[in-house]
Structures are given as structure tokens and as C-alpha cells.
Amino acid sequence: MASIAVLSQKGGTGKTTTVRTLADILRRAGLDVLAVDLDPQGNLSDYLDVDPDAEPTVGDVLAGRAKAAEAVHDGIVPANLGLAEAELMLSGKMGREMTLRKALRGVQDEYDIVLIDCPPALGLLSVNALVAADYALLSTEAQYFALQGVEQALEVIELARDNLNPDLEWLGVLLNIADMRTVHSREAYATLVESFPDKVFRTVIRQSIAYAESAERAVSILDYRPDLGADYLALADELLDRLDMGEARARLRPLREAAGAT
Ligand SMILES: Nc1ncnc2c1ncn2[C@@H]1O[C@H](COP(=O)(O)OP(=O)(O)OP(=O)(O)O)[C@@H](O)[C@H]1O
Ligand SMILES: [Mg+2]
């Protein structure tokens, strides 16, 4: 089992789309995937079509009202605004950073991969994700200040590793929502590669309005625009490579070939 926290220093960097699409792809490759929505906005829960009234949620789990196993609905532990309240409650407690880690202990071993979608802030919820996870995956938009955002997120990863989760590994940084036809996207990529040569994913997720459209229609980008979905298939391949999951990688190959990868 490998658990991965997907996070970024700021909002709107494609985290939730990344978790949603990777979950979809890894399931198509035959893996058992648990998605955890750790954002009070509940975007991932919406994307994955969870009934908005589904209970219990991750907020109930963090508040100690439910076991994580009870909060899994069709492969996702959903979130709603109640998570904001749970976060507040949590902030005054001993061991507040360890709560998700302890809660997931009972369920995560039933899965091959656990993907945790973080909120758009590096606060207590994201720290809980980093303490619960084996790996951190950073997502960054292709903007001028991408590097600063990555550096700030890295500081939080290091804090979590030094104090609470010594086994935490930085899996890599993904350039997301990028228009590589523009100079500033290309510069953002070049700067990242220069700073973190081994950590930047070679795959860049291209920007397209089709992502918003596919989310609205609750259709996976793989089906809505297979040509764009190929980006995420390539990312999944790199990810499985970094995780040393060769068998799953082999099962991904037919999907990549069908999408036109060479
Ligand atoms: N590759 C892409 N190209 C264009 N738009 C995208 C792409 N990926 C995601 N989007 C859109 O950008 C918006 C933000 O994406 P998403 O919700 O995945 O980001 P996020 O980092 O999870 O945001 P938040 O920080 O608010 O949780 C959404 O409307 C989504 O549909
Ligand atoms: Mg999100």
C-alpha cells in the first residue's frame, strides 16, 4: 500500500482534478484505490458523485464520531462543510496532527493506493494529510511564482517529516494547468527543473477548458477528451514508476496505447 497526499501552497492548482483522474486511471488499471477528500469545499466528493447527504464523512472521522471504515462510500471518504468545524475542534487537541493517520490505520491496508486531496491551504488539514501519507505530491500552476509556492510547500513537507512522519517522501512536483505555448509556462517549467531536476514530473498537464466541461458533466476526461486524458495516463505511468509498481504499470500500458501513446 502507498498513500499519497496531493497538495499545493495555493488554491486552484488542479489538485482535485489530479486526485480524481488518477483515481480513475489507477482503478482502470485494476488497483484498489481509496480517495480521501480532505477539503471542506468537498469538490472531490462532488466530482466523484457522492450523495451530498452521505454520512459519516471525513469530518465525523476526525471528530472521533465515526470510524474511517464506516465513512468509505464507493471508494471515497467524502467531505463537506462539517470538516471546517471538525478542523476547529481538532486544533485545540493533543495529537491533532496525527488524527487522520490514526484513523486511516484501520482501513488503508485494504487498498493498493490511497490518494488524499488537500484543501488550498497548508494548515492543519494538509499537515494531517502529510502525517498520514507515505508520499507528498505537489501540484503547481504554471505561473511566474510557481517556484516560491513549491518552496513553501516543501518547507511544510520537511516540518512534517522532521517532527511527525520521518518516513514521508517527496514524490515529486507536477506542473499543472499549463499552456506550454506561452513563454511564462515554459519558464516556470524550466525554473522548476533547474531547482529540482529529479523531482519534476516530465509529464505536464495541459490547460484546457475541457476539464471544467467534463467536471460539469461528471464524465472522466479520459472519456470526454482522450487526447487530453493522455497527459494523466503519462503521469500515472511516471507515478507508478516512482512507486516501483511495475505490475500496475504493465496493466496501464493497454490504456496508454488506446489513447495513442507511443
Ligand atoms: N488541466 C486543466 N486545464 C484547465 N482547467 C483545469 C485543468 N485542471 C483543472 N482545471 C479546472 O481548474 C479549476 C481548479 O481545479 P481543481 O479544482 O482541480 O484545483 P484545486 O487545486 O483542487 O483547487 P482548490 O485549491 O480550490 O481545491 C477547476 O474548475 C477545474 O475544472
Ligand atoms: Mg481542490
Side-chain angles (χ1 to χ4, degrees):
M1 195 281 305
S3 54
I4 305 170
V6 177
L7 76 162
S8 60
Q9 175 264 348
K10 66 185 209 77
T13 61
K15 296 179 291 294
T16 303
T17 305
T18 299
V19 169
R20 167 197 196 213
T21 313
L22 284 178
D24 181 24
I25 290 172
L26 297 173
R27 282 172 182 154
R28 290 182 196 209
L31 297 177
D32 278 326
V33 180
L34 176 65
V36 178
D37 190 350
L38 206 58
D39 182 353
Q41 297 179 100
N43 293 148
L44 183 67
S45 310
D46 289 343
Y47 276 175
L48 297 179
D49 253 342
V50 182
D51 177 350
D53 297 324
E55 282 193 350
T57 63
V58 74
D60 297 311
V61 173
L62 293 181
R65 286 190 293 268
K67 294 241 180 298
E70 302 160 353
V72 179
H73 309 267
D74 261 338
I76 172 174
V77 180
N80 58 30
L81 268 182
L83 177 56
E85 201 180 312
E87 183 187 13
L88 267 178
M89 258 180 62
L90 208 60
S91 64
K93 287 197 179 150
M94 286 282 289
R96 55 187 173 261
E97 297 94 350
M98 310 288 286
T99 313
L100 182 67
R101 182 187 179 93
K102 285 190 185 143
L104 289 181
R105 218 169 258 161
V107 283
Q108 60 186 14
D109 289 335
E110 292 170 33
Y111 297 89
D112 300 308
I113 300 257
V114 177
L115 294 171
I116 308 172
D117 185 27
C118 292
L122 297 172
L124 181 56
L125 290 173
S126 292
V127 170
N128 259 274
L130 290 172
V131 175
D134 304 313
Y135 300 95
L137 193 167
L138 291 181
S139 180
T140 181
E141 225 183 323
Q143 299 295 344
Y144 281 115
F145 298 112
L147 183 63
Q148 279 107 308
V150 170
E151 283 169 342
Q152 283 171 18
L154 272 181
E155 278 173 34
V156 178
I157 291 174
E158 267 155 36
L159 271 175
R161 183 172 41 217
D162 291 350
N163 296 295
L164 300 152
N165 184 9
D167 298 328
L168 179 66
E169 268 186 57
W170 180 27
L171 194 57
V173 55
L174 170 67
L175 196 71
N176 216 326
I177 320 186
D179 182 351
M180 297 307 264
R181 291 168 304 186
T182 66
V183 175
H184 82 263
S185 285
R186 291 199 299 272
E187 282 181 357
Y189 188 71
T191 311
L192 282 176
V193 169
E194 206 174 291
S195 309
F196 312 108
D198 310 327
K199 289 298 185 180
V200 182
F201 285 99
R202 287 189 306 280
T203 307
V204 168
I205 306 296
R206 283 169 290 172
Q207 178 184 58
S208 167
I209 187 69
Y211 281 93
E213 292 167 359
S214 74
E216 202 173 298
R217 290 170 172 77
V219 178
S220 169
I221 197 73
L222 296 188
D223 301 318
Y224 188 68
R225 283 285 302 275
D227 57 322
L228 293 171
D231 291 351
Y232 272 106
L233 285 166
L235 174 66
D237 185 61
E238 267 192 78
L239 182 100
L240 290 171
D241 187 26
R242 291 187 189 193
L243 293 173
D244 268 328
M245 295 177 73
E247 223 175 282
R249 236 185 132 193
R251 284 198 299 266
L252 195 65
R253 203 162 298 137
L255 298 174
R256 297 194 67 204
E257 279 161 8
T262 46

